[in-house]
Amino acid sequence: MLKLRELSAGYGQVEVLKDISADFYPGEITAVLGPNGSGKTTLFRTVVRLIKPRHGQIWLYDQNLEKLSSKLLAREIAYLPQMTETASNTTVFEAILLGRKPYLMWDTSARDLGVVEKVLQWLHLEEFAFRQVSELSGGERQKVLLARALAQEPKVLLLDEPTNNLDPKNQLEILKLVRNLTAEEKLITVMSVHDLNLALRFAQRFILMRAGKIYFHGQKEVISRETLQDIFEAGLEVINYEGRTFIF
Ligand SMILES: Nc1ncnc2c1ncn2[C@@H]1O[C@H](COP(=O)(O)OP(=O)(O)OP(=O)(O)O)[C@@H](O)[C@H]1O
Ligand SMILES: [Mg+2]
């Protein structure tokens, strides 16, 4: 289990995350929902130590993450950032191989290459393997970044808007892949997503954030007209139909 306890973090003098406590479970996808600027990305960045918390702790099973070296942390947690800033001059293959960096000793092993090949297949990226990342479309790059995160073989997968730039077919394919891997490998998966219907379809747990705080959390039942109004103030309607929930 990934546990956040009384976490506060921010930028400069500004406190963004305020007293966040939450539990994330293996084999489940937790969706982090909230309006723009509510602190979702800041939460992910704090968990991977790109931001130092002012207060509070992060535990992965019985390990306090603060005590872990960055190389060991990268074997435990993979992070797919929201912004695709990688326009580097590498091939897709090399970009995914970078995900193996936390495991590399002196040289790339057969196992590292095997993992890259497996991940290329999962994401149907084989035909792109030796293309330059800088020459790919936004959606193709997004898949490469996800492939790199999966190549890390982490216990925790933090996905900040993983469906960014993806067409509907790719959105579904990627989220099905993430759902299957989460279940099979008992990954602790946390994703932020603005498409509430996709969140409802793929996540088992939900965290609703506003202004740096968690207001509601739990299973599907926490998603209601009232909670969504408190969080998004967008006049959203919720309907239940044949056992499924839809938001419009
Ligand atoms: N590098 C930074 N320096 C200062 N303030 C920042 C920085 N990054 C984010 N913020 C501020 O922190 C708050 C939370 O931002 P964050 O990116 O975590 O929101 P978010 O929930 O991920 O939003 P979105 O849905 O738009 O991605 C916002 O008010 C934002 O302006
Ligand atoms: Mg964000």
Side-chain angles (χ1 to χ4, degrees):
M1 188 160 63
L2 175 69
K3 285 190 281 196
L4 313 183
R5 287 295 175 269
E6 296 165 4
L7 209 57
S8 305
Y11 307 93
Q13 297 302 307
V14 186
E15 186 162 271
V16 173
L17 296 181
K18 302 172 187 105
D19 196 24
I20 297 280
S21 293
D23 294 336
F24 303 93
Y25 301 92
E28 292 191 353
I29 299 179
T30 300
V32 180
L33 309 175
N36 294 133
S38 55
K40 303 177 298 295
T41 296
T42 306
L43 181 66
F44 290 138
R45 291 170 59 88
T46 308
V47 173
V48 288
R49 293 214 307 239
L50 291 168
I51 300 173
K52 190 173 156 48
R54 298 212 177 135
H55 182 260
Q57 296 121 33
I58 305 167
W59 294 84
L60 181 57
Y61 297 99
D62 51 2
Q63 269 177 324
N64 185 337
L65 290 193
E66 210 181 325
K67 308 246 161 22
L68 225 56
S69 73
S70 10
K71 186 162 175 170
L72 287 180
L73 184 75
R75 290 189 192 179
E76 307 283 8
I77 304 184
Y79 167 52
L80 173 78
Q82 177 174 8
M83 303 286 179
T84 47
E85 68 286 325
T86 41
S88 56
N89 269 331
T90 56
T91 64
V92 168
F93 195 91
E94 290 161 334
I96 298 173
L97 186 59
L98 270 180
R100 299 301 298 165
K101 209 170 140 208
Y103 298 92
L104 294 186
M105 303 306 279
W106 300 109
D107 207 350
T108 312
S109 69
R111 162 132 179 80
D112 294 317
L113 296 177
V115 171
V116 175
E117 274 172 27
K118 177 177 76 177
V119 171
L120 278 168
Q121 282 169 16
W122 283 347
L123 291 161
H124 307 299
L125 285 170
E126 298 103 314
E127 60 174 305
F128 297 99
F130 299 104
R131 293 259 308 268
Q132 296 290 313
V133 174
S134 55
E135 292 168 10
L136 300 183
S137 76
E140 290 158 358
R141 269 188 223 186
Q142 182 74 356
K143 292 212 290 184
V144 173
L145 286 180
L146 178 64
R148 176 158 80 194
L150 296 177
Q152 267 173 262
E153 298 192 305
K155 293 199 184 76
V156 180
L157 198 52
L158 303 179
L159 306 174
D160 201 354
E161 302 193 19
T163 50
N164 259 357
N165 291 318
L166 297 180
D167 65 37
K169 178 164 178 265
N170 270 311
Q171 290 185 6
L172 292 179
E173 273 187 18
I174 293 273
L175 290 178
K176 281 178 189 164
L177 173 71
V178 168
R179 176 170 64 193
N180 293 343
L181 282 174
T182 301
E184 284 161 20
E185 308 289 332
K186 297 281 175 280
L187 299 181
I188 298 169
T189 300
V190 188
M191 70 170 181
S192 77
V193 50
H194 282 297
D195 184 328
L196 301 174
N197 287 303
L198 275 185
L200 273 168
R201 183 159 166 189
F202 287 96
Q204 288 81 48
R205 278 175 201 272
F206 304 87
I207 284 185
L208 275 60
M209 286 183 74
R210 205 186 76 200
K213 288 191 191 157
I214 295 178
Y215 278 77
F216 307 98
H217 63 91
Q219 294 177 324
K220 210 170 83 172
E221 300 72 51
V222 299
I223 309 281
S224 69
R225 191 170 186 266
E226 290 72 29
T227 57
L228 292 180
Q229 183 59 22
D230 279 356
I231 296 295
F232 292 104
E233 299 177 337
L236 297 166
E237 298 289 341
V238 176
I239 53 165
N240 291 299
Y241 179 72
E242 296 195 343
R244 283 180 65 182
T245 306
F246 297 91
I247 298 166
F248 63 102

